[in-house]
Every structure is written in C-alpha cells, then in structure tokens.
Amino acid sequence: MDLVIKDTRVIDGTGGASYRADVAVTDGRVTTIHREGDAGPRPTGTRTLDGSGLALSPGFIDMHAHSDLALLRDPDHSAKAAQGVTLEVLGQDGLSYAPVDDRTLAEVRKVITGWNGGGPDDTSVDFDWRTVGEYLDRLDRGIAVNAAYLIPQGTVRMYAVGWDDRDATDAELDHMRRLVAEGMEQGAVGMSSGLTYTPGMYAKDAELTELCRVVAGYDGYYCPHHRSYGAGALDAYREMVELTRTAGCSLHLAHATMNFGVNKGKGVDLLTLLDSAIAGGADISLDTYPYTPGATTLVAMLPSWANEGGPDATLARLLDDATAERIRHHVEEIGSDGCHGVPMEWDTIEISGVSDPALAAYVGKTVAAAATERGEAAWATARRLLVEDKLGSTILQHVGHEDNVRAIMQHPVHTGGSDGILQGAKPHPRAYGTFPHYLGHYARDLGVMSLEETVAHLTSRPAARLRLPDRGLVREGYRADLVLFDPETVAAGSSFEAPRTLPVGIPHVLIDGRFVIEDGRRTDVLAGRSVRRPA
C-alpha cells in the first residue's frame, strides 16, 4: 500500500457509529479497511501514519463556495484546504464567469468584483475561457481542492437578454435553453440563481421553469438564492418548491436561512414546508453556514430597478440627486427587494471589504457608525461609499437568529456550505471556519448533533446530491479524499475580529491520496481538479 493510517477512529460519513480501524490507500483510492478485531494481518504500506487520537472522515464538501477565481489566483487556498474541504461547488447565486461572450464577461467582472475580485483592473487572472467546458478545463490544470460548477442563470440571462427588466422573447429563451444545455453537457452539475440580484431576478417563474426542465433532462439540480430571505421568505421557499415540482427538477436551497426580525423562531415553519414537499415525492436538499450574520455586497441592498441596465447605469442613478433620493426611500422606508422587503437598519450593516484601498477606514464599521463619525445621515454615507468604491464594497448583515440556525442544521436533508466570500479586509469568518465550527462548536461543545451525524451532513449527503458515486464515504474503492482531525480540539480559528485565522485540530487532509495539508501545514500539492456531472 502507498499509505496506511493506523489505529484511527473512522467516522465513515454514513452517520452510523464510528469504529477503530487501519485504513490503507493505494493509487488515490481507499483499498483496505481493517477493523479492530478483524481476522488476518493488518495492512502494511510504504508509509505509515499513526492515527491514534484522531478521527478519519471523508473530505468535506462545501456546497456553496465563492472560490471561482480564488482557486485560480491562489494556489495555496488554505482558507478551504485547512478546513478539510476537498470539494467546492462554484457558480453560485446566479453570477459567475461562464458561459460568456466578451461583453458579458466584462459586465459580470464588474458586478461581482466584491465577491471575487476580478474587476476590470485586475490582472491576476487570465480570463482565457468563455464556455463552461473551457472553465472546467482551466481548473484541470491543477488547483488546491476539487471543484464542481453550477451554470449561473443570471449570467446566462445577461448573455442572452441583457440587463432589461422584461420577459425574454422566444428567441432569447431558446438561446438560454441552449446555453444551459451546453453547460450541462460540458460537465456542470446544475444551475444556480440569485433572485435578489440583477439581472437574474428579472426572470419570472415561467422562464425559470423552462430552464429547470433543461437541467432536469441531465439529472442536475436547481440551486436558487430565492426571492426573499426576509419579509416574504416562506412564500419564496414555497415558490421554489412549486417551480421545481412543475419542472420535474431536483431542488437544493442555497444558504437556507430565515433572517430578519420578522422570521425569528420561524425556522421550524420552513422545515414543515419542506417535510410536506418531501413526503409528496419532491427531491429537496439545502445548505447552511453555522453563523447568524449573512454576507453580500452593499449594492445588493438596492431595489432592483436601481440596478437595471448594469453597473454603469446604477452608478449614474446614484449620482443623480433626485434618483438617489428615490432609492433611499425604497431602501429605508418601503423595504427594497434587494434587502428582502425589509426596511434597512443601517446599524446591522457592517462594511467587510472595499475594492479601493483608499476607503479602508470604512472596514469593520457599520454604516450607521461611519455616518455618525462623518456627521451625516446613514444613506449619505452608504451612497458615498457605493459611488467612490464603484459598487465593489462587501458587507456583513447582522440579521440572523441562532434558534433558526440550529433547527435547520439538524434536518436530514441539510448539508454544509460556507458561502465564503474571500475578498475584503474583514470577510465573514465562515470563509475560513465553517467546517471546524460545525465539528467543534455545534457537535462537540453544544451537542446539537452527534459527531457522526455532523460528518454525514458534510460528506455523504452533499455527495449524494452531486450524484458522485465514489466520494463522500470512507469505503473500499472510494477516492481517498480524507480528513484526519482531533475531535477534542478541532475548532474554527476564525472570528469576526480575526476572520482570516486558520482552524486548529485538523493536522492532515488528503485529496486522491495526496497530502494537501500535512502536520497542519499546507503542502505544495495541487491535487484538485474539476468534478464534472457523471455522464
């Protein structure tokens, strides 16, 4: 054998009881599992690793990642590798970089600079792809961890329709169907939407249903960031359940939270809705991050009409005093669709990052606090920042509820997703801490779930959603994507005060049997590749 991990506690990803065993790896696969008490000789190998005191689990699967450019820009990528993540799902929230033409690529780079960098002046990545297949081929040159891809519906609409808030023509709808079909054929695992982000949010349900029918034809799944996580959250979840039922498409709900004051204690209502749909035959799963605040861009808080026409049109509206006052009225008094129908509370909006280093003094402050320092109204500060940072500012939104977080994470169809935005000087700690936070804080310290059940949520259940036949379990014949962690000490090092701190208690991470983390340090191994939809 290439490697034998001796005398370790195997938490195999099934949710069943753990057991002690020697686990052998050869040619990137688990080849032998010799349980304590089994007859016959224990396996031997070229290398032996003492696993006593450690737990061995499958590699963790991040079902909601924003590493679309980070994987290309940063070969180290310890933000995820050090957590034990061996596979990320990219292309989230309806906005990413394929499929595109030259115009669409230029526009999407502007729109999600706050998520990923990659703005017009960013030369750290050579955007030498246009199709989904070409992007996946680019990943195959070697990346830190594996990656799967969702076709971003907002980008597809940007490509075929543009930025207008209108129904697609028949020809445009046919174009979108072709783009989705081509992306699925080239290896995408499904389609995402960001239905509080323009231009994807301009699509009505009939249009989305037609695209989901295409996805269903390839046995993929639909992953919507739906139309409201606030005032209309339950109706928005219900809309997605009904839409995918009509389309015959599997549904995976992105960052399935119940946020804002109107939803305090209502996590159970969401789960009741999902249980009813599942009992009726619906194929549904969801992901969450184990924290209460959310994270997005400041411009996402604006009403959709303010973003119609693209980023240059948005900036023009913000520069016009009369139009800016209309935007303020919607944001602060009505509750914009960008802020989920809830009137803005500026003391919940913390600036986490800026694109222009000259604006760094804003980072770590709420908009309300920054406005007080400047002696002006909060909207004046927000407007100033949007304009001066060219819409590139990211925020933390402190609007979640711990009881909802705990209730939802215990559901049997739950999976883990970091929603990790790696940009900004003060990103959300979930980008660096989601998976150890599940294991240490919620499983070990609080006992919300057993360690075995928690590992299943982070491994086999997402692998099943992705239709991966040889990942997500510690099982003979499966890929040796493995994590060794200390159940007694594993914890997120990241915090809101120090969000880029790496976790503790995860000494070893392997992808295809190769160490990407060894003795707690990142190696130079780039074992990751694209993980494409099974043919």
Side-chain angles (χ1 to χ4, degrees), residues 280-502:
D283 179 10
I284 299 175
S285 56
L286 57 87
D287 66 68
T288 70
Y289 46 84
Y291 300 88
T292 52
T296 186
T297 56
L298 183 58
V299 68
M301 299 293 100
L302 304 185
S304 56
W305 60 262
N307 285 312
E308 187 176 3
D312 291 341
T314 301
L315 285 168
R317 293 184 181 102
L318 288 165
L319 288 166
D320 178 77
D321 288 343
T323 308
E325 170 57 22
R326 184 180 167 213
I327 293 172
R328 184 209 64 78
H329 177 72
H330 277 256
V331 168
E332 293 188 341
E333 299 180 31
I334 296 175
S336 76
D337 47 5
C339 194
H340 309 279
V342 179
M344 179 62 71
E345 297 175 348
W346 291 112
D347 60 350
T348 69
I349 305 299
E350 178 184 353
I351 305 304
S352 59
V354 291
S355 295
D356 184 349
L359 302 170
Y362 284 98
V363 174
K365 299 174 183 176
T366 66
V367 172
T372 298
E373 288 182 6
R374 298 184 63 87
E376 61 187 10
W379 167 246
T381 297
R383 178 189 177 192
R384 181 190 312 279
L385 184 57
L386 286 162
V387 170
E388 293 181 1
D389 207 25
K390 298 179 181 178
L391 313 181
S393 305
T394 53
I395 62 170
L396 302 182
Q397 195 169 15
H398 295 271
V399 293
H401 306 286
E402 180 66 17
D403 56 346
N404 289 344
V405 170
R406 295 190 194 187
I408 293 168
M409 73 167 62
Q410 294 177 71
H411 195 276
V413 302
H414 168 267
T415 67
S418 69
D419 196 11
I421 295 173
L422 299 167
Q423 288 294 112
K426 196 172 179 287
H428 197 302
R430 67 194 186 192
Y432 284 73
T434 286
F435 295 87
H437 201 49
Y438 269 121
L439 299 171
H441 181 64
Y442 283 97
R444 180 191 61 233
D445 298 342
L446 299 180
V448 173
M449 295 183 288
S450 71
L451 192 57
E452 289 84 354
E453 181 68 9
T454 302
V455 167
H457 284 236
L458 307 181
T459 59
S460 64
R461 292 183 188 172
R465 165 51 70 217
L466 295 168
R467 311 283 196 252
L468 302 178
D470 59 355
R471 300 177 195 263
L473 295 171
V474 179
R475 181 170 289 176
E476 291 178 358
Y478 273 54
R479 290 181 179 272
D481 293 353
L482 303 169
V483 180
L484 278 155
F485 65 91
D486 183 343
E488 299 302 318
T489 64
V490 63
S494 61
S495 64
F496 288 99
E497 295 71 33
R500 294 188 184 275
T501 307
L502 295 178

Side-chain angles (χ1 to χ4, degrees), residues 26-363:
T26 304
D27 294 332
R29 299 270 176 176
V30 175
T31 48
T32 303
I33 300 175
H34 188 278
R35 297 192 184 212
E36 187 176 53
D38 281 356
R42 298 172 70 177
T44 59
T46 304
R47 176 177 177 183
T48 299
L49 180 65
D50 182 6
S52 59
L54 299 175
L56 177 71
S57 80
F60 306 133
I61 298 176
D62 188 342
M63 287 295 287
H64 192 108
H66 288 283
S67 303
D68 307 46
L69 299 184
L71 277 167
L72 302 177
R73 181 190 299 114
D74 175 20
D76 181 80
H77 201 50
S78 286
K80 293 301 179 65
Q83 294 186 58
V85 171
T86 58
L87 169 59
E88 299 184 275
V89 184
L90 313 177
Q92 300 288 347
D93 295 328
L95 291 166
S96 191
Y97 306 95
V100 293
D101 57 9
D102 291 350
R103 172 190 61 81
T104 307
L105 177 60
E107 291 173 346
V108 79
R109 287 179 65 179
K110 290 181 181 178
V111 171
I112 52 176
T113 296
W115 290 359
N116 301 318
D121 299 325
D122 188 340
T123 59
S124 64
V125 175
D126 181 7
F127 291 84
D128 59 353
W129 66 84
R130 294 296 179 270
T131 69
V132 170
E134 289 168 351
Y135 176 71
L136 296 178
D137 288 345
R138 176 69 179 277
L139 299 179
D140 282 339
R141 298 180 196 174
I143 48 180
V145 304
N146 295 311
Y149 189 73
L150 294 166
I151 301 163
Q153 172 261 330
T155 301
V156 167
R157 196 173 214 271
M158 197 186 306
Y159 190 157
V161 180
W163 286 89
D164 295 339
D165 183 2
R166 62 171 176 82
D167 292 343
T169 66
D170 290 345
E172 289 166 342
L173 183 56
D174 283 343
H175 189 190
M176 286 189 283
R177 286 194 192 98
R178 289 196 304 274
L179 290 171
V180 172
E182 289 167 1
M184 294 300 294
E185 289 168 2
Q186 291 164 8
V189 295
M191 181 179 75
S192 74
S193 284
L195 299 179
T196 65
Y197 300 131
T198 54
M201 69 188 301
Y202 298 143
K204 294 179 181 175
D205 284 1
E207 178 180 313
L208 295 171
T209 299
E210 287 304 306
L211 300 184
C212 283
R213 291 187 200 277
V214 177
V215 173
Y218 293 92
D219 199 25
Y221 68 92
Y222 181 44
C223 180
H225 163 131
H226 51 273
R227 298 191 193 274
S228 176
Y229 290 83
L234 280 175
D235 286 340
Y237 282 114
R238 191 174 292 109
E239 175 191 8
M240 295 298 100
V241 170
E242 179 60 23
L243 187 156
T244 49
R245 185 199 64 78
T246 301
C249 187
S250 300
L251 174 64
H252 180 85
L253 295 166
H255 38 55
T257 55
M258 293 287 286
N259 288 340
F260 302 93
V262 295
N263 289 317
K264 184 173 177 57
K266 291 186 177 180
V268 67
D269 296 340
L270 167 61
L271 301 180
T272 299
L273 167 66
L274 298 184
D275 284 339
S276 177
I278 292 167
D283 179 10
I284 299 175
S285 56
L286 57 87
D287 66 68
T288 70
Y289 46 84
Y291 300 88
T292 52
T296 186
T297 56
L298 183 58
V299 68
M301 299 293 100
L302 304 185
S304 56
W305 60 262
N307 285 312
E308 187 176 3
D312 291 341
T314 301
L315 285 168
R317 293 184 181 102
L318 288 165
L319 288 166
D320 178 77
D321 288 343
T323 308
E325 170 57 22
R326 184 180 167 213
I327 293 172
R328 184 209 64 78
H329 177 72
H330 277 256
V331 168
E332 293 188 341
E333 299 180 31
I334 296 175
S336 76
D337 47 5
C339 194
H340 309 279
V342 179
M344 179 62 71
E345 297 175 348
W346 291 112
D347 60 350
T348 69
I349 305 299
E350 178 184 353
I351 305 304
S352 59
V354 291
S355 295
D356 184 349
L359 302 170
Y362 284 98
V363 174

